[in-house]
Amino acid sequence: MPTHHQVLIIGGGTAGIMVASQLIKQKKRTSVAIIEPADTHYYQAAWTLVGAGTYDYKDTARPMASVIPKEATWIKDKATGFDPENNTVRTASSGDITYDYLVVAPGLVYDMSLVPGLGEALDKGVVCSNYTDPDHTWKVIQEFKGGTALFTQPTTPIKCGGAPQKIMYLAEDHWAKNKAVRDKTEVVFATAGTIIFGVPQIAKTLMEVVDRKDINLRFGYQLKKVDGPNRIAWYAFADHMKEHNHKGVKTETDGDLTGIHFDMLHTAPPSTAPKFIQDSSLVNGTGWLDVDQYTMQHKKYDNIFGLGDVAGLPTAKTGAAIRKQVPIVVDNIDLLIGSDKMGKMAYNGYSSCPLVTGYGKMVLAEFDYDNKFTPDPKLKQMLISDSSKEHWRLWMLKKYILPYLYWNKMMRGKDV
Ligand SMILES: Cc1cc2nc3c(=O)[nH]c(=O)nc-3n(C[C@H](O)[C@H](O)[C@H](O)COP(=O)(O)OP(=O)(O)OC[C@H]3O[C@@H](n4cnc5c(N)ncnc54)[C@H](O)[C@@H]3O)c2cc1C
């Protein structure tokens, strides 16, 4: 007989732990189990600061056992597949597990094969990424002696879409302290996008930052492959290719591709849903979990919910988004268990991106599905009247307050 749990959660990351904690602490639901193979839980949002040498990597990690609520059952294993018609999840070594309600939250994975050469370049240390090894990024930034510093991102959805440019602003700030290095450096940001940020108020500030820092922006640049040994990033151009603040860095062409020669390269890796999700009947046409964008309920299976990075939602994949998704999922599951009906709460696509623009400076992009700027009224209590402008108090929020809230409130099922 397979083991059975009223609520089964796949993934003990930001989303999985928050759902479990709120179900237990706020709704007093006790038959909750989490399938999670890892020993360590990471507060990934601080990796940007680690990559800039202003936060200790070990402070971003805590034992998984310390964040899994003690009332929950921890199934230390990997989910490997689904039989949703029979309310069953398959696991690598714990057999089949059945559920009344399933929450799918295994995050995303990096698929280096989508940008040939990138995986090898990262392994050999030629390229750095805050997503995979932020301590290495800091080493690269410190050892950089000048040349072309290229910051880029893949064409797939990624975690925290602003992170590839945050580290650029911090790196430039670090180099600017040493005139000899900065004078010999061109900072280039190449992205497949059309603008620096989707929220107009934030984009305006960021363009001022870009001009102040004399950064070359290249839009419509689709990263196709990386030649680590020769230090060239190869791009195809989208129709909307355009440049801001051109710099004559060394480039070359090969057929339809244009290569930018770099002396250092930082990128986010191409990202997809985990393979066991992609191979299941739970995904939409683009391979992400097919959930309703307002209720987080699966579009085909009423007793399955999904949230976090794995969810196919038209908003940015962040922990901040998860903070607003969790109460919807928890409310809906609690009401379905208690009275077989769905709640009325709707997720409006809220996400947020703390855009650090230098040491001691930050802009806080908060927005919804329509890219409407939706600043938290609580910021006024911190004496921040306009979070679309750079502010040191926002930096303090990022470096000290948010990590505290994450570990002590969000992970423990308390409202923030
Ligand atoms: C460099 C960087 C900067 C970021 N900056 C910010 C920021 O400033 N603000 C912000 O809000 N967000 C930020 N984020 C994004 C944020 O960290 C993620 O959106 C968030 O952690 C996603 O939570 P999740 O639970 O969906 O996935 P994760 O937290 O990644 O957790 C997924 C969990 O599922 C487990 N799992 C995977 N496969 C299986 C399986 N088969 N079976 C069972 N379990 C499985 C994993 O072990 C993991 O524990 C950043 C991320 C990075 C990498």
Side-chain angles (χ1 to χ4, degrees), residues 13-15 35-37 44 79 106 159 166 276 309 318-320 322 354 398:
T14 303
I35 308 177
E36 168 59 66
Q44 301 162 36
K159 288 168 191 268
K166 296 178 202 174
F276 80 103
D309 289 351
T318 66
I322 291 168
K398 165 90 187 158

Side-chain angles (χ1 to χ4, degrees), residues 56-129:
D56 202 331
Y57 183 70
K58 69 177 179 342
D59 292 338
T60 71
R62 296 229 176 142
M64 190 60 77
S66 72
V67 294
I68 292 191
K70 59 181 181 325
E71 299 85 348
T73 306
W74 180 7
I75 301 159
K76 196 168 184 307
D77 202 347
K78 262 184 163 172
T80 53
F82 301 88
D83 178 2
E85 268 77 23
N86 293 305
N87 301 328
T88 302
V89 170
R90 312 215 179 286
T91 64
S93 50
S94 310
D96 289 354
I97 302 173
T98 56
Y99 55 82
D100 292 340
Y101 295 93
L102 177 68
V103 178
V104 184
L108 54 69
V109 294
Y110 303 134
D111 183 352
M112 301 299 176
S113 73
L114 297 175
V115 177
L118 177 59
E120 296 88 311
L122 278 165
D123 289 346
K124 294 209 167 83
V126 177
V127 174
C128 60
S129 177

